[in-house]
Amino acid sequence: MPTKIDSVVARQRVDDLEAAIPFYERLTGLPADRFEFAGVRLASVGPFLLFCGPDEAVQRVAGVSATLAVGDLAAAVEEGIAAGATVVVPAQPTPNGRRAVLRHPHGGVYEYVGP
């Protein structure tokens, strides 16, 4: 059975993370979870991932269309490759689990996260 995508997180670059967070907290009714990764400041607010930082660091995050949460990261990567995707970033640990980045056969670049 193919790996199921459990949720999709929309990514949004913002100029001022702290100024943007209250809008998304009101919109979703959820508190922000702030963290840093690879020189980028991020906040997860419901289905949104807000991020800001220096252009060079942010480009690594901004080049990804969305984050796809899966229950089995290894299986999702394997199935993606079998279907024609290429690995941009192999599976690695992050502050919120493990991640891999795949380029789909039609050009979209997606981060897959899972246990």
Side-chain angles (χ1 to χ4, degrees), residues 16-26 31-32 34 42-43 45 50:
D16 183 337
L17 188 64
E18 293 306 316
I21 287 173
F23 172 83
Y24 290 92
E25 287 179 325
R26 281 192 301 273
R34 295 165 175 84
L42 304 104
V45 189
L50 311 175

Side-chain angles (χ1 to χ4, degrees), residues 6-112:
D6 297 325
S7 65
V8 177
V9 176
R11 291 166 167 247
Q12 177 64 51
R13 182 176 186 178
V14 296
D15 292 328
D16 183 337
L17 188 64
E18 293 306 316
I21 287 173
F23 172 83
Y24 290 92
E25 287 179 325
R26 281 192 301 273
L27 181 66
T28 65
L30 298 168
D33 179 22
R34 295 165 175 84
F35 58 101
E36 292 191 25
F37 181 70
V40 179
R41 293 180 49 232
L42 304 104
S44 175
V45 189
F48 298 97
L49 180 65
L50 311 175
F51 59 93
C52 70
D55 281 343
E56 183 178 305
V58 165
Q59 289 310 313
R60 292 189 298 268
V61 177
V64 174
S65 299
T67 299
L68 311 175
V70 297
D72 185 336
L73 181 60
V77 170
E78 185 178 303
E79 290 169 12
I81 293 169
T86 57
V87 175
V88 176
V89 177
Q92 59 185 260
T94 69
N96 56 348
R98 293 183 52 78
R99 77 186 279 260
V101 178
L102 301 179
R103 181 179 315 281
H104 288 185
H106 303 287
V109 177
Y110 297 89
E111 175 188 50
Y112 286 73

